[in-house]
Amino acid sequence: MNLGLTDKPVIVCASSAGLGKATALEYAREGARVMLCARRESELRRAVDEIKSATGNEPRHVVADMTKPGDIVQLVEQTVAAFGGVFALVNNSGGPPAGTFEQFDDAAWQGAFELNLLSYVRTIRAALPHLRQARGRIVTFTSSSVRSPIENLILSNTFRTGVMGLAKTLAAELAPDGILVNVLGPGRIHTARLDQLDQRRAEKSGLPLEQIRSDALKGIPLGRYGTAGEYAKVAVFLGSPANSYVTGQTLLVDGGMVKAY
Ligand SMILES: NC(=O)c1ccc[n+]([C@@H]2O[C@H](COP(=O)([O-])OP(=O)(O)OC[C@H]3O[C@@H](n4cnc5c(N)ncnc54)[C@H](OP(=O)(O)O)[C@@H]3O)[C@@H](O)[C@H]2O)c1
């Protein structure tokens, strides 16, 4: 299938590692003009080099913290200056801290709101004039927790469901402009973040890490963690011209883990 991405300008947020980097790599493979961002420049440079040597297509990068409004404006402005517009915006950021209700004060709730919901409102607002011009695509990464809450992740469970409400509403509001808006929920995709979460579960429960992992696999019908590359292919399809009729949807990439419809 031709995804129609040659020379399309694309922003992939939080993309020096994990799901973001894999998505940037797939876009680069498809010939898109890709802008990466993250907080640490050294990691960004490493990701740019990796993507360039794998695809021959050199992405650009901006150092940006998704919780800082000024950084988000810079990210969009520099993308437009470099590539002349924005066709696809892929929203992603770090995960909030793990923990239960009584562990978090107002500052923690506010921080998670800014990281996992308000940041996406800001990226969409900044990119919207360009997305309108391009009749573009918005894809936002959340978690399988939008269908089934995950134990010990109350901050994530709370704000990521808000992203679904945002996306479903925007899908209708922006449809007349030809902009398609979707959400992706990773289940257990093997990245550094997943390793950290498994490690914390092991420490909290006192069980060996291997047991935590083998118990997790029992809940996944496909019997393994997903790879970031598998996840990225779905993200890139939704955020491409080849996707011309899927909007307002939340799709889990979870190997069948979540049993809800
Ligand atoms: N992997 C999974 O199976 C899974 C499942 C459910 C949900 N998720 C969620 O999906 C998102 C991505 O997960 P991942 O597994 O790819 O994580 P990861 O491997 O830890 O990668 C996170 C990336 O985001 C960047 N980042 C973190 N905080 C940022 C910020 N404030 N501003 C800009 N960039 C930031 C990091 O670079 P810097 O640190 O340099 O900024 C890095 O490039 C997270 O929100 C995670 O909670 C993942």
Side-chain angles (χ1 to χ4, degrees):
M1 190 192 324
N2 180 356
L3 297 183
L5 280 164
T6 306
D7 291 333
K8 292 278 191 236
V10 168
I11 298 175
V12 185
C13 299
S15 46
S16 63
L19 306 179
K21 183 174 80 177
T23 301
L25 172 69
E26 283 304 319
Y27 268 118
R29 240 194 260 291
E30 294 297 323
R33 310 185 75 190
V34 187
M35 182 63 83
L36 311 186
C37 89
R39 293 165 301 176
R40 287 169 297 166
E41 180 145 38
S42 54
E43 298 305 303
L44 274 169
R45 286 190 185 281
R46 209 191 306 263
V48 165
D49 289 346
E50 221 177 282
I51 292 171
K52 187 182 170 198
S53 65
T55 66
N57 179 353
E58 186 170 4
R60 306 286 276 264
H61 73 275
V62 172
V63 176
D65 183 333
M66 292 295 291
T67 63
K68 296 194 172 147
D71 286 12
I72 286 174
V73 169
Q74 276 295 309
L75 169 66
V76 173
E77 281 180 359
Q78 290 194 35
T79 305
V80 173
F83 303 150
V86 182
F87 172 78
L89 170 66
V90 177
N91 281 319
N92 181 34
S93 68
T100 57
F101 182 77
E102 288 179 300
Q103 288 173 260
F104 296 120
D105 59 10
D106 278 5
W109 282 92
Q110 186 68 34
F113 165 60
E114 295 200 5
L115 183 65
N116 295 114
L117 181 52
L118 188 57
S119 60
Y120 304 149
V121 171
R122 289 173 173 150
T123 51
I124 293 167
R125 187 188 291 128
L128 195 51
H130 310 289
L131 291 166
R132 273 208 173 98
Q133 214 167 0
R135 300 179 72 79
R137 305 286 180 268
I138 301 170
V139 181
T140 300
F141 295 177
T142 56
S143 163
S144 64
S145 66
V146 297
R147 293 271 161 68
S148 179
I150 300 172
E151 197 189 318
N152 203 41
L153 282 178
I154 193 166
L155 296 176
S156 171
N157 295 341
T158 303
F159 293 110
R160 293 189 195 279
T161 50
V163 173
M164 273 202 308
L166 172 71
K168 194 76 174 172
T169 311
L170 277 178
E173 288 185 12
L174 300 181
D177 297 311
I179 300 173
L180 277 58
V181 186
N182 291 289
V183 173
L184 267 191
R188 297 182 72 79
I189 311 292
H190 196 205
T191 65
R193 159 88 178 165
L194 192 70
D195 284 341
Q196 276 170 15
L197 289 176
D198 281 349
Q199 185 66 45
R200 281 210 200 102
R201 279 195 189 105
E203 283 159 15
K204 195 161 181 263
S205 63
L207 295 170
L209 184 59
E210 281 322 305
Q211 189 173 336
I212 295 290
R213 289 204 172 121
S214 63
D215 286 352
L217 294 185
K218 283 183 202 146
I220 303 175
L222 288 183
R224 60 178 176 85
Y225 288 174
T227 68
E230 288 174 307
Y231 177 88
K233 285 189 172 66
V234 185
V236 169
F237 168 73
L238 288 174
S240 77
N243 170 27
S244 52
Y245 205 60
V246 179
T247 193
Q249 302 306 307
T250 295
L251 179 63
L252 301 192
V253 181
D254 71 347
M257 182 177 79
V258 171
K259 301 300 183 287
Y261 288 106

